[in-house]
Amino acid sequence: MSFDEDARAASTAVHAGGRYAAVAPIAGVRIPLGARQVALGDGELRAWQRRNRDATVPHSIEQLRLAGNLDNLARIADPGDGTSRFRGRYPFLDTDVFKTLEGLAYLLAEDEAVGAAPGDVRDFYEEAVGVIEAAQREDGYLNSYFQAPEIEKEPWEDLAWGHELYNLGHLIQAAIAAKRRLGDDRLLIVARAFADLAVERFGPDGDPQVCGHPEVEMALVELFRETGVPSYLELATAFVDRRGHGTVELRVFPAEYFQDSAPLRDLDSVTGHAVRMAYLAAGATDVALERGDQELLASLQRLWDDMVETKLYLTGGLGSRHSDEAIGDRYELPSERSYSETCAAIAVMQWGWRLYLATGSAAVLDTVETVLYNAYAAGLSADGMAFFYDNPLQRRPDHLQRSGAEADGELLRRSWFGCPCCPPNIVRWTAELQDHLATSTPAGVEVAHLTAASITTERLSVTVDTAYPWDGAVIVTVDTAADDEVELAIRIPAWVVGGSIRMGGSAAPLEPVDGWIRVRRWWRAGDTVELDLPMPVRAHGAHPSVDALRGSIAFVRGPIVSCAEQQDTTADLDLLRFSGADAGRAVVEHRRILDREGIDAVTLLVPATVDAPAPAVLYPVLSGAPDAESAAASLADIETTASLTQTTATLIPYALWGNREPGAMRVWFRAR
Ligand SMILES: [Zn+2]
C-alpha cells in the first residue's frame, strides 16, 4: 500500500477538525461527534452515566482491586519478595483494567471540566497507568499472565487461548480514549510499542496466525486513525482475511467457535461464540470502511441482516447457547436459555454503529437502539452494582441457575464474576454513549439516536429535549447556525406509524424517507423542529420457525420490550393469556416499582385472561389412547384450557427485571 502520506494528512485533518470520538473514521462521509461536541441532557442516558460514575465505577474499581487484576500487573513491575502469585484463572484479566481505564478517561475529562474529579477514580487511573508502563517488557510485550514467573508458558505459544492480541486490543482502545479525552499519551506509547511488536511478528511478512478471540481488529484500525501509520490497518486487514481458513489450532471447540470455519466474506450467517463474532464483524467493518472494500462491506451488511432476521432475540440479545457461549442456529431462540451475554450486546452495538457510519442505514440504528434499551440495559442492576452475564427472556419459578454459569452467589445479578468481562465493558460503553449518538456529514448533522442532548458543530448546534424512550415528544431547538444551507437529519424509528412534525407553523404528517427526516434550510437560532412520535403498545408474535415461541405474544412500546414479574400479579405468569387486541386496551402508567431504589417505571397495564391450570400430563395422547375419554380431541384442546378469570397484568420494562426478590419473569406469553 502506498497511502502512507494520504493517511497521515487525513489523520492530521481529523484532529485539526476536532474529531475526538471513540470511533473516528478517516474515510467515509460520516464523522462521529464525540464528547466534546455532544453532551447528554437530562434524560435516560444521562441518568445511566450518573449511575455509572456514582456507583458502577467505584464498585468496579473496588472489585478489580479485590480480585487482583491490578496486582497482577503491579507484581510484574515489582515482584517484591517473590511470594505473590498470579491471581485469577484467565490470561485476559488485564483487559478488565484496560476497559475500566477507557471508561475513566471519559469520566475524568468530564470531571476536569466541572472541577470535581473524584479522588478514587484519579488515583486508580494514575496507579494503573503507572503499573502498565512499568510492567511492559522491553520489546513491547505486555501480559501479566504470560509474564508471571510461576506460569510455565511462553508468550505467543497458545494463540488460540492466550488472548494476547485481545489484550492488546483493549489496551489500544484505553490508550486512544486517554489520548483523545485527556490528552494523556502515556498509555498510547505503551500500546504502540506492543502494537509494533504485533506488526513485526504477525504482519504481512510474519507468522500468519490470528488470535483466538477477535477484538484487536477494530482497535488496530482506530490506532491507524489516531496515528496515520498504515501498518496497523494492514495488520487488522490481515487478521480479518486470515481467519476462516482453519488458522486457529483446535482443541475443545470447533472452528465455528472462532469464526474460523469460513472466511468472513463467504460466511452465510453469524456463527460461533457470540462476542467473538460481533467483535470480528465490528473490526471488519472498520477495515472495509477505511479500505473502501465494498465487497467486504456487502458481506457484513448481509450477515447483519441475516442476524436481525433470524438470530436476534426480541430484546436484541445475541447468543442462544450456554454451551460454547454460541449464537446457535437460525430461529433457535429459546427464552429461558437465552444466553445473550451483556458483552455480546455491546459488541453488536459496536458493529451496528460502524455499519451505520459506512452505510447511513437507519434500520441498523433501529436494531442498535433495541439492543441498547433492552439486552444491554438489563445487564446492570438498578443500583448499578450488580451484573447479569447472560440475559434470559424468561425465568421459571423453580429456576436455580446463577448468572455467569458459576456455582455459588446470587440467584440474579452478581456483584462480580471470576470471568468479569461484562462489568468493565458496561463501564466504558456507558461512559462513551454520547460518542455514538450523532455525526456530522457534508450536508449537515445526523441525529442517529433520539435522546436529550446538546449537539455542537461549526455549522449547526442544536439542543434536543425529550423524555425518549419513555415518551415520543421531541423538540429540537437550534442554538447556533452558519449563514448557509445546512441539513438537519433525524432518524425516525421504523415502528413509528403516523406522527407529525412541526416547524413554526402548523404540524405536518411525518413522512420519513429510508428512516430519516431531512430538513435542509437556512437555520436561525431559536428555530425549532417538534416531532410527535406516537408510542402505542405493540403486540408482537414470532416467526413460525421459532419453535420456542409458537403461539406466543409479547408487548413492546417504542423501543422498550416489556416483561411481567411475578411480584406484580397474583395470577401465575404461566397462565396469563393475551390477545393482540389487548395491546390496544393497555394503559400506560408511571409507577413506582422499586421503592428501595426510588425507581419509577413506565408500566403497561394490559388486560389478560387467566387460564385454568393444565392437567398434569406432560405428553397427552392425541390418538390411539386406550379409552376414548383420556384422549385429547385435538392439539387445541391441550393448549386452550378454560379461561377462569379476567385480570389486568402489570408489565414493566424488561431491563428492570430482577431487581427484587428472585421470582418468575416472562417476556413472551400465551396468545389467544
Ligand atoms: Zn462478558
Side-chain angles (χ1 to χ4, degrees), residues 99 275 325 341-344 388-389 419-423 425:
K99 280 185 277 190
V275 180
E325 301 184 315
E341 184 180 337
T342 304
C343 285
F388 275 137
Y389 194 111
C419 172
C421 52
C422 303
N425 225 352

Side-chain angles (χ1 to χ4, degrees), residues 24-92:
I26 294 169
V29 297
R30 282 172 196 81
I31 302 171
L33 302 173
R36 295 183 187 204
Q37 292 157 301
V38 180
L40 289 171
D42 214 8
E44 182 69 7
L45 299 187
R46 184 64 188 144
W48 291 8
Q49 286 195 332
R50 284 200 197 97
R51 179 178 57 187
N52 195 38
R53 174 205 151 119
D54 296 340
T56 313
V57 163
H59 174 80
S60 298
I61 287 175
E62 187 187 348
Q63 294 297 319
L64 286 169
R65 288 190 186 281
L66 282 173
N69 298 61
L70 195 58
D71 285 347
N72 285 339
L73 285 156
R75 63 187 285 270
I76 301 302
D78 178 8
D81 61 9
T83 57
S84 67
R85 290 286 177 273
F86 181 86
R87 291 169 64 193
R89 288 175 55 194
Y90 305 106
F92 49 81

